[in-house]
Amino acid sequence: MNEIRIFVPATIANISCGFDVLGLCLDSVGDEMIIKKTIKKGITISKVIGQELPLDPNKNVAGVAANALLKNLTVDFGFDIVIIKNIKPGSGIGSSAASSAGAVFGINEILGKPFSLKELIPFAMEGEKLASGSAHADNVAPAILGGFTLIRSYEPLEVIKIHTPKELYATIIHPQIEIKTIDSRSVVKKEVPLQTAVKQLGNLGGLISGLYTEDYNLIGNSLHDEIAEPYRSILIPEFENIKKECIKNGALGSGISGSGPSIFALCRGKENAEKVSRGMKQVYNKTAIAFDIHVSKINERGIKILETK
Ligand code: ADP
């Protein structure tokens, strides 16, 4: 194989009660990447279409992740990467994670899969380190593995793929405002009272159990975040109204996607997810805030190969 074209999905990290440990993979929102073998060794990024992002492989997460992988192998050729960016950077649905994950996935395929999907995660995390200063896996893991993922431990890294209920959909609204990841991290308290931790643990256990047993009521009852949402939501205009509207329209639950500003809702079935999206739109239509909105099935496969040459 000399060339691969792939679909690299957007992802939702945290999912309310899974602060810093849970993530899920979306299906209808994502970038495309084209990766080609080159005679020249090393990584080049020849084009980014759709967004202003650096072409310097040391400043683009795709280049950093790709180089992290190549450090572990001896290859006497290189790779060129083209990124077709549909996921806006800083939206909170894993824009940088998609590029980090896509770069390592594509190169691994061209090389005949020397690494398993799970083994690719630490390389993709190096890209995340460039984007946000910390090598977190809660977006790259679901992008690479698909479905829901749980980071059971960082040291050593252990990622578990969780069962996806068949009728589950996500609705995501992205208000076009800028929240710096550093700001949304800094508002979250470093210490958590025992009572708060107990509530969060109960909900996290409930959500995982609900996902495995496809118990939609239990999933809904568990979608609460006691740790980040009370503080982060203040940075997102109309957050409480959006959340109320989602629940009124029958969503199982709603919360902040990653560190925001996107807000997600989980829904049972596509029809309900569309209804929830109309409710979300109504709230922002009353304001001057521009927004994007997406309805997506949960993507159990993760990155998809579109073409190989
Ligand atoms: P998101 O949660 O949407 O990924 P982040 O704040 O984590 O947003 O990452 C976006 C940051 O990463 C921006 O500063 C952006 O310039 C930088 N970046 C570097 N390369 C890329 C890339 N290929 N795709 C997206 N963002 C990138």
Side-chain angles (χ1 to χ4, degrees):
M1 193 194 300
N2 288 311
E3 183 178 329
I4 190 166
R5 187 162 66 87
I6 51 179
F7 168 77
V8 281
T11 43
I12 297 175
N14 296 342
I15 324 176
S16 298
C17 53
F19 179 64
D20 270 2
V21 293
L22 273 187
L24 68 79
C25 188
L26 296 169
D27 203 34
S28 59
V29 201
D31 297 342
E32 278 190 27
M33 291 173 86
I34 301 161
I35 303 173
K36 279 183 203 165
K37 258 186 185 174
T38 55
I39 294 164
K40 194 173 148 253
K41 283 191 185 181
I43 301 292
T44 53
I45 298 171
S46 57
K47 237 189 271 177
V48 178
I49 301 164
Q51 294 291 328
E52 286 284 322
L53 287 167
L55 295 178
D56 178 344
N58 296 316
K59 293 188 178 140
N60 191 305
V61 298
V64 171
N67 275 318
L69 181 151
L70 288 182
K71 249 190 237 158
N72 291 273
L73 296 170
T74 336
V75 277
D76 53 9
F77 46 85
F79 297 90
D80 179 64
I81 303 173
V82 172
I83 305 171
I84 301 142
K85 241 309 146 218
N86 300 317
I87 317 168
K88 292 184 181 144
S91 52
I93 51 169
S95 177
S96 54
S99 293
S100 304
V104 296
F105 178 93
I107 291 174
N108 193 52
E109 287 291 321
I110 292 177
L111 292 174
K113 298 193 206 171
F115 297 103
S116 70
L117 289 180
K118 276 194 179 169
E119 284 168 345
L120 293 177
I121 295 171
F123 306 135
M125 285 165 68
E126 289 302 312
E128 291 297 78
K129 200 169 169 184
L130 174 75
S132 68
S134 78
H136 61 100
D138 45 358
N139 288 107
V140 291
I144 291 175
L145 300 179
F148 283 80
T149 55
L150 169 77
I151 300 151
R152 212 273 311 149
S153 148
Y154 268 101
E155 282 176 16
L157 184 69
E158 188 185 344
V159 180
I160 301 164
K161 187 167 173 178
I162 309 282
H163 177 78
T164 301
K166 296 289 161 285
E167 295 173 56
L168 211 55
Y169 273 76
T171 307
I172 308 103
I173 191 157
H174 171 217
Q176 319 262 291
I177 54 159
E178 195 193 346
I179 299 177
K180 295 209 161 60
T181 308
I182 192 160
D183 292 337
S184 68
R185 281 234 153 239
S186 67
V187 294
V188 179
K189 299 268 181 294
K190 294 276 177 292
E191 310 257 313
V192 174
L194 186 59
Q195 238 187 348
T196 308
V198 169
K199 278 192 197 164
Q200 191 92 352
L201 289 169
N203 283 323
L204 180 58
L207 178 57
I208 304 285
S209 176
L211 290 171
Y212 274 109
T213 54
E214 307 213 1
D215 182 336
Y216 294 90
N217 284 333
L218 179 56
I219 293 170
N221 290 343
S222 307
L223 284 171
H224 301 289
D225 175 14
E226 308 288 333
I227 291 178
E229 188 179 298
Y231 308 103
R232 281 189 173 166
S233 57
I234 297 158
L235 305 171
I236 305 172
E238 302 295 332
F239 177 79
E240 290 304 330
N241 287 335
I242 290 270
K243 201 169 160 166
K244 268 189 215 141
E245 193 65 25
C246 289
I247 303 300
K248 196 180 97 190
N249 284 294
L252 302 171
S254 163
I256 303 170
S257 177
S259 56
S262 288
I263 305 167
F264 78 92
L266 286 187
C267 303
R268 182 174 190 171
K270 192 173 182 191
E271 223 170 275
N272 184 250
E274 303 275 9
K275 189 177 174 203
V276 166
S277 99
R278 290 193 291 275
M280 282 179 162
K281 268 186 208 167
Q282 267 178 20
V283 176
Y284 272 136
N285 276 338
K286 287 183 198 146
T287 71
I289 304 162
F291 60 87
D292 292 326
I293 198 152
H294 313 281
V295 170
S296 174
K297 202 172 167 32
I298 310 303
N299 167 0
E300 288 192 67
R301 271 179 53 201
I303 299 169
K304 291 175 194 167
I305 299 173
L306 302 174
E307 200 184 357
T308 57
K309 283 183 192 164

